């Protein structure tokens, strides 16, 4: 049964900040990943088409498919894991989230829908306007 993760994108003011960070990772390590201290227990469910949903400015805004989960022990002897991610970012409908630490599981039925790909969105459009248009079903 597919399950997803929801994670705060700490330090990012917008999606472009996430894009820039992941470009740096890809250039440095030739792959896109997120390192976390806690290792998910539901690995098979996450690898069954699961995604990580990124919260930026208290809204889920974008997701990435999780392609692999790699456990390792860092140089300080602490168990961690890399969540390997598909580099493609998929815009989602906005969904409000309160701040939290770490990551949380997200059931498929609770995950926000992907934004339609056939709608042209002006990149200069303010987030508040985009949210209001989305709430009205116009985006």
């Amino acid at each position: 049964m597919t399950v997803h993760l929801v994670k705060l994108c700490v330090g990012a003011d917008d999606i472009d900040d996430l894009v820039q960070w992941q470009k740096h990772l890809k250039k440095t390590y030739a792959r896109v990943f997120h390192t976390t201290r806690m290792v998910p227990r539901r690995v098979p469910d996450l690898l069954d088409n699961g995604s990580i949903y990124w919260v930026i400015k208290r809204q889920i805004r974008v997701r990435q498919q999780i392609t692999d989960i790699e456990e390792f022990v860092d140089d300080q002897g602490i168990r961690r894991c890399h969540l390997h991610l598909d580099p493609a970012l998929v815009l989602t409908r906005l969904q409000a989230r309160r701040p939290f630490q770490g990551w949380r599981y997200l059931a498929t039925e609770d995950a926000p829908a992907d934004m339609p790909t056939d709608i042209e969105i002006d990149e200069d459009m303010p987030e508040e306007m985009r949210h209001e248009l989305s709430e009205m079903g116009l985006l």
Side-chain angles (χ1 to χ4, degrees):
M1 180 174 89
T2 301
V3 71
H4 309 286
L5 296 178
V6 62
K7 173 86 175 90
L8 296 180
C9 194
V10 178
D13 290 325
D14 54 32
I15 295 171
D16 191 53
D17 288 342
L18 177 61
V19 168
Q20 294 308 315
W21 173 248
Q22 291 188 352
K23 279 183 181 178
H24 167 73
L25 287 173
K26 194 163 185 172
K27 183 177 179 181
T28 306
Y29 301 103
R31 57 193 169 130
V32 175
F33 61 91
H34 176 72
T35 304
T36 181
R37 187 171 51 98
M38 301 301 293
V39 178
R41 296 180 192 264
R42 299 179 66 182
V43 171
D45 294 334
L46 288 167
L47 294 178
D48 182 25
N49 207 30
S51 292
I52 187 167
Y53 284 78
W54 293 106
V55 177
I56 301 172
K57 294 290 188 185
R58 294 185 158 212
Q59 300 276 343
I60 294 176
R61 297 176 188 275
V62 66
R63 72 174 180 86
Q64 288 178 282
Q65 186 172 358
I66 299 170
T67 58
D68 196 15
I69 297 175
E70 171 192 6
E71 292 184 48
F72 68 98
V73 176
D74 69 11
D75 57 356
Q76 297 175 344
I78 300 171
R79 189 176 129 194
R80 299 187 183 277
C81 82
H82 287 312
L83 303 172
H84 294 271
L85 306 172
D86 184 318
L89 295 171
V90 179
L91 296 176
T92 66
R93 301 265 186 204
L94 299 180
Q95 186 181 84
R97 287 288 163 153
R98 290 190 170 149
F100 59 93
Q101 289 186 331
W103 47 261
R104 300 287 185 267
Y105 288 111
L106 180 65
T108 300
E109 59 270 11
D110 297 331
D114 293 348
M115 288 290 283
T117 57
D118 59 345
I119 295 176
E120 195 171 314
I121 299 174
D122 183 0
E123 293 299 321
D124 294 330
M125 182 185 298
E127 284 293 331
E128 295 79 24
M129 182 184 293
R130 191 179 300 181
H131 179 66
E132 286 180 31
L133 291 172
S134 178
E135 288 291 314
M136 292 188 288
L138 299 173
L139 281 182

